[in-house]
Amino acid sequence: MAEPRGGIGGEVPDLSLWDRTIDALVRARHSDIWYSFKRSPVTMVAAAVTAVIILSAVFAPWVAPYNPFDLATIDLMDASLPPSWMADGDPRFLLGTDDQGRGILSTIIFGARISLGVGFASVVFALIVGVGLGLISGYVGGTVDAVIMRVADIQLSFPAILLALLVDGVARGVLPREAHDELAIYVLVFSIGISGWVQYARTVRGSTLVEKNKEYVQAARVIGRPAILIILRHVLPNVMGPVMVIATIHLALAIITEATLSFLGVGVSPTEPSLGTLINVGQDYLFSGEWWIALFPGAVLAILVLAVNLLGDWLRDALNPKLR
Amino acid sequence: MFAFIIRRLLQSVLVMLTVALIAFALFRFVGDPINNLVGQDTTLQDRQQLRETLGLNDSVVVQYWRYVVNTAKGDFGYSYMHRRPVKTMLLERMPATLELSIISIILALFIGVPMGVYTGLRRDGFLAKIFMSISLIGISLPTFLIGIMLILVFGVMLRWLPTFGRGEVVAFGIWTTGLLTASGLKALIMPAITLALFQMTLIMRLVRSEMLEVLRTDYIKFARARGLSNRAVNFGHALKNTLVPVITITGLQLGSVIAFAIITESVFQWPGMGRMFIEAVADVDIPVMAAYLCLIALFFVVINLIVDLLYYAVDPRLRIDGGGSGGHG
């Protein structure tokens, strides 16, 4: 994994993205990772569960029995029906309906779409910021390194959720109220992303410090490649391994954070409910016996996070044979 | 030793000043402090006067310094929403949060450490595997979901425990406690378990991996070779050596427990600081947000400092290096 790729200068011909993808797939097919994947039934189940949830979220408009946001299909007469296997259940609504007559299954599928979307976007945002700052910190060193790492230290001593809440509160203060509802999702992605960059930066800085003294980087420097190209073409590909592990585990955390913020009522706007919002709404109905409104979205959230965590654990072990 | 303490103290002060700068920037630049204090019908002249008396026309540096001095005295200004001093509000809410957090961390320690020791010793045992699976679920379930599930089972279905509030409290001066009444104790059970669960899994996994690490060392092998009983080796030698990191992490976690109490407090409508903070975020009540930020930062910095100094006292190797780089997160 630590084998330097990318060659020196222009000696290795540039492969197109397509060739590279095929190359990577072929390599993955014969790699340890694939082998350890086939050996672990738990991981295969986790991967299948994650894939099902992600696919149904992506293709929500086709998968979900109803579009819960299409007012034409909602009938208040269907409100608060229990799941279909219970006495008063309706076969049209497998998991029952909420107070406005929307099918719980449909709201969950559309809610998972928002949860996963925000989760992925926050991870990508944190990854770009963290890897970027980590590369700079490790490669440039000196004062720049000291400042970035000091900020990281200070930020790391605060829980991510607190920081995300704070960013959200500030956004509420700065943006006018109407704009805030519209931008709520972006604010959320920013706040979750910005509270998660430190992990990436620290790891990447560590591996960059190791890589930059290796011969291939020195060689590239000697032949006069600009620093920015050395960082992007030579160092970056060789520090990405651990980053993928962090990203997977971070995805689970980002989904939890999004759900928590939405549950606390400071996340996405209620017109586009995520799983957290659905649980928040459903909580009020627990006391009147309508447990399915909160419980099913909660179960899906828990299963999703558990599956992603299991995948992350497996990936960490597969990429780090030493830990086995 | 002296130089190390001085350096750590200076670092802590620097962190606090940075946090105070953020809090000050929030207060000064997010929205107009005057608009948030007075009604719509206040004349321009009155506003100017208020601006002058509050010192908002001074230079930003002077204002920042004044903010730092006031904060150090515990004066956080007035809440925009409640028109009351933030200090009084915080003092009213603090006992509830601290009581919940401390009970939770005690709970987490007293259940987490034995579970960790057990899973470390019986690595492949059936019960150990169950503990490990439970701990993975404990990490994967969001705190608020655990709370809701407890409410559903023990509050709504079985009706054993109250689902919100703190029960009856007894006041000692400014401190109120729910630990002395039956209803207060009953109300504490579910929030404390909810808050403790994550820390418990963390402590359990930490103790387990430390135990596995220590059990591999030579002095444990030597202790066994000497023919000491399993009990003496496992608890007298192995467990004792795992406890330093456990105490450190638990100490550091106390800060995040107080912060995580935000979630538990909103699920159970616990009248603590965390819920006050959430309400402040929703209402853009900046002075309350800023005060909470400073207070939490103070907790963190003080706990970090104590842990670092304890480390220094416990681990002689740090002294030879001239006091490590203070690299705890």
Side-chain angles (χ1 to χ4, degrees):
Chain A
M1 188 192 77
E3 221 170 287
R5 273 178 280 155
I8 299 164
E11 280 174 30
V12 175
D14 271 358
L15 294 167
S16 74
L17 189 65
W18 181 240
D19 286 334
R20 278 193 206 196
T21 314
I22 291 182
D23 186 45
L25 282 176
V26 169
R27 237 185 308 167
R29 180 76 183 72
H30 296 282
S31 68
D32 294 349
I33 293 189
W34 182 245
Y35 178 75
S36 86
F37 182 75
K38 281 195 299 187
R39 286 281 306 264
S40 165
V42 176
T43 309
M44 287 165 77
V45 172
V49 168
T50 314
V52 166
I53 296 180
I54 290 179
L55 285 177
S56 46
V58 170
F59 298 106
W62 296 278
V63 175
Y66 301 95
N67 180 351
F69 307 110
D70 181 4
L71 290 175
T73 64
I74 302 173
D75 188 348
L76 268 180
M77 296 297 284
D78 295 330
S80 304
L81 291 171
S84 60
W85 61 83
M86 286 177 58
D88 299 325
D90 186 316
R92 286 177 302 152
F93 302 105
L94 180 63
L95 301 180
T97 58
D98 66 5
D99 56 316
Q100 292 169 43
R102 299 181 292 203
I104 296 291
L105 182 61
S106 307
T107 53
I108 288 178
I109 294 173
F110 275 86
R113 196 175 155 102
I114 309 265
S115 289
L116 277 165
V118 172
F120 271 112
S122 325
V123 168
V124 169
F125 182 70
L127 192 147
I128 292 173
V129 173
V131 171
L133 287 176
L135 282 171
I136 295 172
S137 194
Y139 196 83
V140 179
T143 318
V144 179
D145 179 34
V147 170
I148 294 177
M149 282 303 120
R150 204 73 306 219
V151 173
D153 274 351
I154 293 176
Q155 181 175 332
L156 209 61
S157 54
F158 292 94
I161 186 94
L162 191 64
L163 206 72
L165 274 171
L166 205 67
V167 172
D168 203 273
V170 172
R172 260 161 217 274
V174 175
L175 299 169
R177 196 159 290 268
E178 315 80 60
H180 182 269
D181 272 357
E182 224 165 87
L183 296 173
I185 285 196
Y186 302 99
V187 171
L188 200 58
V189 167
F190 176 78
S191 62
I192 300 173
I194 208 72
S195 58
W197 65 274
V198 175
Q199 291 287 335
Y200 298 94
R202 287 193 147 191
T203 313
V204 167
R205 174 180 174 270
S207 358
T208 306
L209 284 177
V210 175
E211 294 297 324
K212 85 170 177 187
N213 290 322
K214 287 200 177 156
E215 280 178 354
Y216 70 97
V217 174
Q218 287 178 346
R221 216 181 293 166
V222 166
I223 62 171
R225 281 209 125 186
I228 180 80
L229 277 184
I230 298 180
I231 292 177
L232 290 179
R233 297 294 299 273
H234 302 291
V235 180
L236 180 62
N238 289 304
V239 298
M240 282 306 275
V243 169
M244 295 331 285
V245 177
I246 299 178
T248 317
I249 294 170
H250 187 202
L251 177 64
L253 198 66
I255 293 172
I256 290 187
T257 311
E258 185 279 325
T260 306
L261 290 177
S262 294
F263 173 77
L264 294 175
V266 293
V268 294
S269 62
T271 48
E272 290 172 296
S274 71
L275 292 175
T277 327
L278 293 176
I279 298 166
N280 186 16
V281 173
Q283 193 196 5
D284 299 336
Y285 295 94
L286 278 185
F287 300 100
S288 50
E290 283 139 8
W291 48 268
W292 56 89
I293 302 178
L295 200 69
F296 290 125
V300 170
L301 178 67
I303 291 169
L304 174 64
V305 172
L306 184 64
V308 175
N309 263 335
L310 285 168
L311 280 181
D313 271 4
W314 159 76
L315 197 62
R316 188 189 54 209
D317 292 348
L319 289 178
N320 259 336
K322 269 177 282 173
L323 288 179
R324 245 178 274 161
Chain B
M1 176 77 188
F2 189 66
F4 173 74
I5 294 177
I6 294 291
R7 192 159 57 221
R8 282 301 282 115
L9 273 176
L10 279 179
Q11 255 175 28
S12 310
V13 170
L14 199 69
V15 171
M16 280 315 292
L17 283 178
T18 317
V19 172
L21 181 66
I22 297 170
F24 166 73
L26 278 179
F27 170 72
R28 186 64 189 79
F29 300 113
V30 177
D32 181 27
I34 297 291
N35 276 350
N36 284 312
L37 279 173
V38 297
Q40 295 265 327
D41 46 354
T42 315
T43 61
L44 208 61
Q45 204 172 7
D46 285 349
R47 280 168 194 260
Q48 276 308 332
Q49 178 133 32
L50 190 59
R51 197 169 271 280
E52 195 58 49
T53 41
L54 285 178
L56 291 173
N57 289 333
D58 297 339
S59 81
V60 173
V61 180
V62 173
Q63 287 187 47
Y64 169 57
W65 182 244
R66 193 180 303 133
Y67 187 84
V68 169
V69 171
N70 283 341
T71 302
K73 281 192 259 175
D75 175 11
F76 296 103
Y78 279 78
S79 155
Y80 293 160
M81 283 303 287
H82 303 277
R83 316 270 154 184
R84 296 175 55 204
V86 176
K87 185 182 175 185
T88 330
M89 291 171 65
L90 273 178
L91 283 178
E92 279 171 11
R93 304 284 195 119
M94 207 186 307
T97 298
L98 288 184
E99 227 167 73
L100 177 62
S101 307
I102 291 168
I103 295 291
S104 298
I105 204 113
I106 292 174
L107 202 64
L109 268 177
F110 275 84
I111 303 176
V113 172
M115 275 169 85
V117 171
Y118 183 84
T119 47
L121 292 177
R122 301 269 150 76
R123 208 180 156 177
D124 297 313
F126 180 66
L127 205 55
K129 288 214 165 116
I130 290 186
F131 282 165
M132 287 306 282
S133 317
I134 292 176
S135 83
L136 192 66
I137 295 171
I139 286 176
S140 296
L141 276 182
T143 314
F144 69 94
L145 210 53
I146 295 169
I148 288 182
M149 272 155 48
L150 287 178
I151 288 183
L152 180 63
V153 174
F154 296 102
V156 178
M157 282 157 70
L158 296 171
R159 298 191 178 281
W160 287 351
L161 297 168
T163 55
F164 63 90
R166 224 184 143 193
E168 268 175 70
V169 290
V170 184
F172 293 101
I174 54 164
W175 191 273
T176 56
T177 177
L179 296 177
L180 295 175
T181 61
S183 75
L185 284 173
K186 269 175 94 174
L188 186 62
I189 296 175
M190 287 203 291
I193 291 176
T194 308
L195 191 54
L197 210 59
F198 181 78
Q199 308 300 328
M200 196 172 88
T201 52
L202 198 74
I203 291 173
M204 182 197 122
R205 289 182 155 233
L206 184 75
V207 172
R208 175 179 175 273
S209 55
E210 288 290 333
M211 279 296 271
L212 290 177
E213 201 68 37
V214 170
L215 286 174
R216 246 185 303 193
T217 54
D218 286 341
Y219 65 83
I220 294 295
K221 285 182 195 150
F222 179 63
R224 285 200 201 288
R226 272 164 68 200
L228 294 181
S229 68
N230 270 339
R231 191 195 169 89
V233 176
N234 291 340
F235 294 95
H237 293 264
L239 181 61
K240 216 165 103 189
N241 280 292
T242 62
L243 285 183
V244 174
V246 171
I247 290 167
T248 319
I249 300 278
T250 314
L252 293 177
Q253 284 294 320
L254 187 61
S256 34
V257 167
I258 293 170
F260 270 104
I262 297 172
I263 303 162
T264 313
E265 285 175 10
S266 9
V267 174
F268 292 97
Q269 298 171 40
W270 190 261
M273 294 188 296
R275 227 177 101 219
M276 190 173 86
F277 177 67
I278 278 293
E279 285 162 8
V281 168
D283 299 335
V284 203
D285 196 344
I286 302 286
V288 177
M289 278 166 69
Y292 183 80
L293 178 70
C294 290
L295 197 67
I296 288 285
L298 184 68
F299 276 124
F300 269 96
V301 165
V302 169
I303 291 168
N304 261 313
L305 191 66
I306 292 173
V307 167
D308 265 13
L309 293 179
L310 273 182
Y311 238 60
Y312 192 82
V314 166
D315 195 337
R317 280 168 297 184
L318 281 173
R319 273 171 251 167
I320 299 166
D321 297 346
S325 50
H328 301 285

